[in-house]
Amino acid sequence: MSSASPSASVPHDGTDAEARPLTLAEPTILGLPVSFWPRILAPIFVGILVLGLWEFAVRWNEVPSYVLPGPLLVGQTLIADWGTLSASLWITLRITFMALAAAVIVGVALAVLFTQSKWLEMALLPYAVILQVTPIVAIAPLIIIWAGDINLSLLICAWIVAFFPILSNTILGLNSADHNLINFFQLHGATRWQTLRYLKLPAALPYFLAGLKISGGLALIGAVVAEFVAGTGGSESGLAYRILEAGYQLKIPRVFAALLMISLSGIAIFLATSLISHLLLRRWHESALKREN
Amino acid sequence: MDTAYLSTHPAAGQESGVPLVSIRRVSKQFANGTIAVRDVDLDLGTGEFISLLGPSGCGKSTLLRMVAGLGSPSTGTIDWPGAGEDKAERDLGFVFQDPTLMPWANALSNVMLPLTLKHVPKSEAQERAAEMLALVGLKGFETSYPRELSGGMKMRVSIARALVMRPKILLMDEPFAALDEITRHRLNDDLLNLWWRERFTAVFVTHSVFESVYLSQRIVVMAARPGRVMADLDVSAPYPRDELFRTSAEYAHLCRLASGKLKEAIGA
């Protein structure tokens, strides 16, 4: 019996400690709960089915590979061109993560600033919205001209796309701290900084993480779209340029291979942000709790 | 058949001794024009257990919040003759209707909060918070998060948090209203024991005649529209009160008297 689990030694001392529910551990397979496995196996099954049908349809109809390559050919291309493609992937991912980091820093900083001063929020939030609703494809050429450096302009484009969900979610989170708790802090003479540190920032965490999940994917999309517009050549070229290049040369299997890498990167980013969110919230937040009904 | 009785408490300012809190001609009008409280005169004596009893909308919560300093009266004054002039020195604990805990912090950290805000060193704060948790019957639950605790246990954490600074006065805003009756009875008993031991002044807002009679030395009966004090009653029954008292004829008799006073007061 470990002292870490108080449910193991419920005191019968007249308190209502007994009212705590008794819990049974769920059986696991390979370390994962039994009820979790269908969530992994079902999509894998569907994926294999669809890929099989695709391969079959391509072969049966003798579709040429420059129109639609089968999944096996795409896989072979991916392996054969791995050197070029992975270098490009790394360039795109570097832009993505730098943009995401900048979005987190600027988004959270602005959100904190806005909740400290209503005037600042009123004055600046409309411009943040304008930045968000302007199509990035339309302003990317301007940014490329103004920024001069191609990597910097790609970074700015990806950042513009990624930062708004973090900003708006964090503002919402900072403003959604329990009103009575705010009163309690006030009663105990808490300073602005203490209220922010001990109450508003923790209360905003789930909202911020929801924003981060969206922004992770958007940063990648922003980086790829900006690369498309920039169409940069040379050795320092991201995946979007590889797609454009392969498209011109009718190397359609390579287009698919690059697309596959972008998709997988997006999925990996989503899973990573979901994992961070789960680890940070599992002890206390409703979204991370299992419910029977 | 017995000697239990309710008597009228001396009017504010008529008592000997300095009260802890002195409320004089206090009115509160909200921005929308509602008069929540009108012309309340009340003294809260040091060490007293006082209930504010009345129907919803009688301004009892508003009055309690004004005593705490959450919102100031529109007219009238609330003074603390029994405490220092400095507002920050007015030690008070506040218990809300909901436990109002920080869901991201465990029970110990929640209780530590007032100490943390006052920059008490961490090890001392932990020690004092753990002591307080033990006092409310939650020894062994220091690392539990609010969601892992039952409603009654969360309320205990909330009370521990309010008492951890050893305040002169504990203000409670219908703290047990959302709990089931069995849990409520236990918490009432434990609250009385704490009060008996720690000797703070307790102000307890409730709409339950039974709860107010069981707990208090003094019941302030309020009526609604506008919120005002209709009666101020001393409860004669001695402490300690326990389960025996709850089932006694004396208690039933007092409840009947208080209920009568309440009906009379609110003109039902």
Side-chain angles (χ1 to χ4, degrees):
Chain A
M1 200 184 285
S2 70
S3 57
S5 75
S7 58
S9 56
V10 172
H12 296 277
D13 56 0
T15 71
D16 49 350
E18 300 103 290
R20 278 164 61 96
L22 294 173
T23 50
L24 274 178
E26 198 183 344
T28 58
I29 299 172
L30 295 176
L32 290 173
V34 167
S35 61
F36 191 73
W37 276 100
R39 287 172 39 152
I40 298 174
L41 295 178
I44 288 177
F45 178 74
V46 171
I48 290 171
L49 192 73
V50 169
L51 289 180
L53 283 174
W54 176 4
E55 185 71 36
F56 173 77
V58 167
R59 282 169 190 254
W60 183 260
N61 297 312
E62 293 175 346
V63 182
S65 73
Y66 57 84
V67 174
L68 178 67
L72 283 178
L73 183 58
V74 172
Q76 282 162 11
T77 313
L78 186 62
I79 293 163
D81 293 355
W82 179 254
T84 326
L85 288 178
S86 64
S88 296
L89 173 69
W90 173 239
I91 289 165
T92 302
L93 283 184
R94 210 175 52 196
I95 296 285
T96 302
F97 287 124
M98 280 163 71
L100 188 58
V104 167
I105 293 165
V106 178
V108 172
L110 273 182
V112 168
L113 225 58
F114 286 179
T115 46
Q116 297 300 307
S117 158
K118 280 282 149 209
W119 281 100
L120 263 181
E121 179 172 2
M122 279 191 285
L124 292 182
L125 193 59
Y127 295 100
V129 176
I130 289 171
L131 218 51
Q132 165 69 13
V133 295
T134 311
I136 193 67
V137 185
I139 54 171
L142 286 174
I143 291 170
I144 291 163
I145 293 168
W146 293 337
D149 180 58
I150 196 71
N151 277 327
L152 181 64
S153 38
L154 293 182
L155 184 62
I156 292 172
C157 290
W159 171 78
I160 288 175
V161 179
F163 109 104
F164 193 77
I166 291 184
L167 174 70
S168 69
N169 274 29
T170 310
I171 289 176
L172 183 65
L174 289 169
N175 287 330
S176 61
D178 185 310
H179 185 71
N180 277 334
L181 264 176
I182 293 175
N183 281 340
F184 189 87
F185 272 69
Q186 198 183 326
L187 275 178
H188 286 272
T191 59
R192 255 175 183 225
W193 162 246
Q194 284 178 324
T195 310
L196 182 69
R197 165 151 167 23
Y198 293 112
L199 176 59
K200 291 196 170 174
L201 284 177
L205 185 64
Y207 297 83
F208 162 76
L209 289 167
L212 184 69
K213 274 196 216 177
I214 301 168
S215 290
L218 284 182
L220 181 65
I221 292 173
V224 171
V225 168
E227 279 174 7
F228 262 105
V229 177
T232 161
S235 58
E236 282 268 298
S237 303
L239 272 181
Y241 177 73
R242 295 286 164 228
I243 290 175
L244 281 175
E245 182 190 54
Y248 292 140
Q249 299 166 354
L250 280 184
K251 291 181 180 166
I252 303 304
R254 202 176 192 195
V255 172
F256 271 85
L259 274 177
L260 182 66
M261 288 175 103
I262 293 175
S263 302
L264 290 179
S265 306
I267 291 169
I269 290 171
F270 178 78
L271 288 178
T273 48
S274 298
L275 182 69
I276 291 170
S277 174
H278 177 76
L279 291 177
L280 288 175
L281 302 181
R282 63 185 165 160
R283 286 300 302 263
W284 65 276
H285 197 252
E286 285 291 332
S287 66
L289 307 181
K290 270 197 210 158
R291 285 270 173 262
E292 287 303 315
N293 48 13
Chain B
M1 75 176 210
D2 52 39
T3 55
Y5 62 92
L6 296 174
S7 58
T8 302
H9 191 80
Q14 300 296 302
E15 256 185 308
S16 57
V18 180
L20 180 63
V21 179
S22 160
I23 301 165
R24 288 291 175 275
R25 296 191 65 81
V26 160
S27 300
K28 176 74 176 180
Q29 187 166 16
F30 289 129
N32 64 8
T34 316
I35 299 171
V37 175
R38 190 159 79 187
D39 284 339
V40 170
D41 278 303
L42 207 59
D43 280 340
L44 309 177
T46 303
E48 273 188 314
F49 201 121
I50 305 154
S51 286
L52 301 182
L53 173 67
S56 322
C58 74
K60 50 195 194 301
S61 292
T62 309
L63 188 60
L64 192 77
R65 283 171 167 267
M66 285 193 290
V67 172
L70 294 171
S72 49
S74 306
T75 60
T77 55
I78 298 176
D79 293 317
W80 294 62
E85 268 307 299
D86 187 8
K87 270 197 173 184
E89 293 300 305
R90 292 170 190 171
D91 297 336
L92 59 86
F94 201 99
V95 179
F96 297 91
Q97 185 166 356
D98 300 313
T100 322
L101 303 176
M102 301 180 292
W104 53 83
N106 63 26
L108 190 71
S109 303
N110 265 293
V111 176
M112 276 167 65
L113 177 63
L115 300 165
T116 310
L117 293 177
K118 283 279 177 284
H119 304 288
V120 174
K122 198 174 177 192
S123 57
E124 187 198 335
Q126 277 175 336
E127 203 175 303
R128 284 170 69 179
E131 200 179 301
M132 207 61 235
L133 269 178
L135 213 54
V136 296
L138 286 180
K139 198 174 173 60
F141 290 94
E142 290 82 2
T143 55
S144 298
Y145 281 71
R147 69 152 179 117
E148 297 165 332
L149 300 171
S150 69
M153 292 164 85
K154 277 187 266 201
M155 214 20 118
R156 285 170 191 276
V157 176
S158 189
I159 292 171
R161 183 182 61 180
L163 289 178
V164 77
M165 298 291 281
R166 307 279 166 168
K168 294 193 182 77
I169 186 166
L170 178 64
L171 305 170
M172 292 165 281
D173 188 4
E174 300 192 37
F176 308 144
L179 302 176
D180 64 85
E181 190 168 311
I182 298 162
T183 310
R184 193 163 63 231
H185 283 181
R186 276 183 184 167
L187 279 160
N188 279 338
D189 288 339
D190 289 355
L191 176 63
L192 273 188
N193 284 332
L194 273 173
W195 171 72
W196 193 245
R197 198 165 1 169
E198 304 281 320
R199 289 282 150 193
F200 46 82
T201 304
V203 184
F204 191 95
V205 165
T206 179
H207 53 239
S208 160
V209 172
F210 305 103
E211 210 174 23
S212 65
V213 170
Y214 185 71
L215 292 172
S216 347
Q217 290 173 309
R218 209 177 134 195
I219 303 173
V220 175
V221 180
M222 296 183 71
R225 279 171 291 275
R228 58 205 188 280
V229 173
M230 301 302 290
D232 193 342
L233 309 164
D234 282 321
V235 182
S236 71
Y239 294 89
R241 298 174 185 171
D242 53 19
E243 203 53 43
L244 267 172
F245 175 62
R246 211 196 300 275
T247 50
S248 68
E250 192 186 9
Y251 175 64
H253 178 65
L254 284 169
C255 287
R256 202 176 311 129
L257 288 176
S259 200
K261 287 280 186 187
L262 179 64
K263 272 190 186 148
E264 197 181 294
I266 64 179

